[in-house]
Amino acid sequence: MKKGWQSAFIFKHTCSRKGLSAGSILRIVLDTCQTTDEAIQLMKKLPHAWSYDYSMEDTKGQIAVNDGRVFLYAGMIV
């Protein structure tokens, strides 16, 4: 994990489909992304197996929260 990079997930409900687990998704994000912007773009491409909310903050203090449909980023929807 990169120093200062934070991420978390919260289970929402049991809407299961083929894809990656939340833990696997966060591991990929933490291993490959340097910024919140990069993490958002990558997470939009990855197949999610369960319905989770994600939050993340990079070393520059940029924060994003995903409500399962869209990312809320610095008060804007992306």
Side-chain angles (χ1 to χ4, degrees):
M1 183 168 77
K2 295 166 184 64
K3 184 177 180 180
W5 181 238
Q6 300 177 52
S7 189
F9 59 89
I10 300 167
F11 182 68
K12 287 177 56 172
H13 54 80
T14 58
C15 178
S16 173
R17 56 191 171 268
K18 289 186 179 183
L20 299 168
S21 69
S24 295
I25 289 171
L26 288 185
R27 183 76 266 152
I28 293 167
V29 167
L30 292 171
D31 286 346
T32 61
C33 298
Q34 297 290 325
T35 67
T36 298
D37 291 329
E38 290 176 5
I40 289 171
Q41 295 310 310
L42 177 60
M43 289 181 75
K44 286 180 177 180
K45 295 176 185 175
L46 295 174
H48 298 250
W50 295 90
S51 183
Y52 280 86
D53 287 347
Y54 295 89
S55 62
M56 60 198 73
E57 179 180 8
D58 63 22
T59 57
K60 296 177 184 177
Q62 295 181 331
I63 299 169
V65 177
N66 172 267
D67 74 348
R69 295 167 293 151
V70 296
F71 279 92
L72 306 172
Y73 178 67
M76 301 171 63
I77 297 174
V78 294

